[in-house]
Amino acid sequence: MVGTILQESAREIPETKIIDMSAPRAVDFQQTIPRSLVHRAAVSEVFVTDLNILGEGRFEVGAQWPRRHSFFGPRTPVFHDPMLYAETIRQAALLIAHRAYGVPLSHSFLSDHKEYAVEETGLATLGRPVDVVLRVTAHEVEYRGKNVGGMRLDFECFRDGRRIGTASERWRCVSSAVYRRVRGDHFAATPFQAAVLAPVAPASVGRDREEDVLLAATPTDGTWALRFDPDHAVLFDHPADHVPGMVLIEGARQAALLAIGDPYALPARADFRFDSYVEFDSECLLVVKAHEQGPDRTRTVRVEARQKGTTAASGTLGMRLS
């Protein structure tokens, strides 16, 4: 599988070093870690605050969810957006790769699979920032020579000492030279190559601003076209040569909201695999099938991202009805 990049690599940043932190300690929430370690350009988009290496393949990561965020919510007055949790997992995986395993900052990361589940009560907003602790274990670590080339990371998320969520991320990484060869003519692609499409009504997907809407209507029932604002300050915080995985999952969430007719349902569960890059210069269709409501007020929705006649990414969302 080709996979999809977690976020565009920071090509011009000096290499990081492995940090030995053998003595157990509590994670710190006083400040965020350097933005380069989670491949973010804006300090305001960094949620991870600390890394505690407990032993071989065992870690704790501190993170803080802001009281409010311009894109990740909260999407309702009483609950944080589960996509904020998904972004926190993405950042934690990058932090562990760079700090614990010495992966150079110039490397590009490719995600093959990601999933999460989070309790609704664990997302409650209390009028203040929320500190969470991620307990992480590494599995199936792969090496290319002496260098780490990929692994699976499993997560448990704790808030005030209570487990509120789980997650898993399977990623690989390659050097900038290898990535350039793999991407070929698309290496210098930009989101400005994408066609400009009219968004669906923001309120129909629980949004207030058109720039936050990632769907355009198509003539086919249950199918929407992926669209986006290439100047979006969060989704395109830094240069990208293909559609980032978080954009695809957010597009899938919005498609699921339309499919079930509930613009404020929460994506409490997600399970996605990525088979190929989604390029900017071709139409990407999101094909949706919603299943019947389960006993826990949740409807499972399957979404496939199709481009040039093939499925580039696919997965399911567990949408907790509002």
Side-chain angles (χ1 to χ4, degrees):
M1 292 186 293
V2 176
T4 186
I5 198 168
L6 291 176
Q7 284 289 351
E8 177 69 12
S9 61
R11 295 189 178 94
E12 303 302 327
I13 302 173
E15 312 291 36
T16 189
K17 295 181 179 179
I18 300 176
I19 293 181
D20 181 11
M21 301 168 61
S22 56
R25 61 177 180 81
V27 293
D28 185 49
F29 303 100
Q30 291 302 310
Q31 61 185 3
T32 58
I33 53 91
R35 56 195 170 91
S36 62
L37 293 174
V38 293
H39 303 187
R40 281 298 194 181
V43 173
S44 60
E45 299 307 319
V46 179
F47 305 131
V48 176
T49 61
D50 194 17
L51 170 65
N52 186 8
I53 301 178
L54 303 177
E56 184 175 356
R58 297 187 303 112
F59 315 94
E60 283 187 341
V61 177
Q64 186 178 87
W65 295 342
R67 181 179 177 182
R68 292 197 175 273
H69 187 272
S70 63
F71 183 75
F72 291 114
R75 294 267 61 82
T76 71
V78 292
F79 295 116
H80 284 284
D81 187 352
M83 292 299 177
L84 179 60
Y85 175 47
E87 170 63 15
T88 303
I89 294 300
R90 186 198 70 83
Q91 293 187 14
L94 291 168
L95 174 62
I96 289 170
H98 291 311
R99 279 280 171 90
Y101 290 95
V103 175
L105 287 168
S106 58
H107 275 37
S108 293
F109 284 74
L110 304 98
S111 178
D112 290 324
H113 176 257
K114 61 174 69 206
E115 61 179 303
Y116 73 79
V118 61
E119 294 180 9
E120 190 175 52
T121 54
L123 298 168
T125 57
L126 300 176
R128 55 175 173 78
V130 174
D131 294 338
V132 296
V133 175
L134 303 175
R135 293 180 185 170
V136 193
T137 54
H139 307 273
E140 303 169 18
V141 180
E142 299 175 359
Y143 289 87
R144 294 184 178 91
K146 296 182 179 180
N147 300 318
V148 169
M151 67 183 66
R152 188 187 88 238
L153 293 174
D154 292 341
F155 298 82
E156 292 180 297
C157 181
F158 293 83
R159 175 176 175 177
D160 297 326
R162 184 173 70 88
R163 192 177 84 158
I164 64 168
T166 59
S168 183
E169 180 91 46
R170 176 72 197 179
W171 58 264
R172 292 173 290 133
C173 60
V174 296
S175 68
S176 57
V178 170
Y179 186 72
R180 180 184 289 271
R181 290 198 300 271
V182 169
R183 295 296 287 142
D185 293 341
H186 286 106
F187 180 75
T190 77
F192 293 93
Q193 294 174 272
V196 178
L197 303 175
V200 300
S204 67
V205 290
R207 294 289 177 171
D208 300 320
R209 307 181 305 172
E210 284 193 353
E211 56 263 40
D212 292 337
V213 178
L214 300 187
L215 301 180
T218 75
T220 305
D221 291 341
T223 300
W224 287 269
L226 185 69
R227 55 88 60 191
F228 44 78
D229 178 358
D231 279 322
H232 198 284
V234 177
L235 297 178
F236 295 98
D237 164 79
H238 53 272
D241 62 19
H242 66 276
V243 178
M246 286 298 295
V247 173
L248 291 175
I249 295 179
E250 172 60 27
R253 182 257 283 273
Q254 294 186 17
L257 294 175
L258 289 177
I260 64 177
D262 183 349
Y264 295 103
L266 291 175
R269 300 190 301 269
D271 188 339
F272 275 82
R273 58 174 288 169
F274 304 95
D275 296 321
S276 62
Y277 299 104
V278 174
E279 308 294 356
F280 294 126
D281 57 3
S282 299
E283 180 183 57
C284 178
L285 297 176
L286 299 179
V287 182
V288 185
K289 181 179 180 181
H291 299 277
E292 295 299 322
Q293 179 179 335
D296 58 350
R297 292 183 22 251
T298 299
R299 291 190 68 180
T300 299
V301 182
R302 179 168 179 79
V303 183
E304 293 186 10
R306 298 178 181 173
Q307 190 171 59
K308 296 181 179 180
T310 64
T311 298
S314 61
T316 58
L317 291 159
M319 305 299 294
R320 183 67 56 84
L321 302 179
S322 63

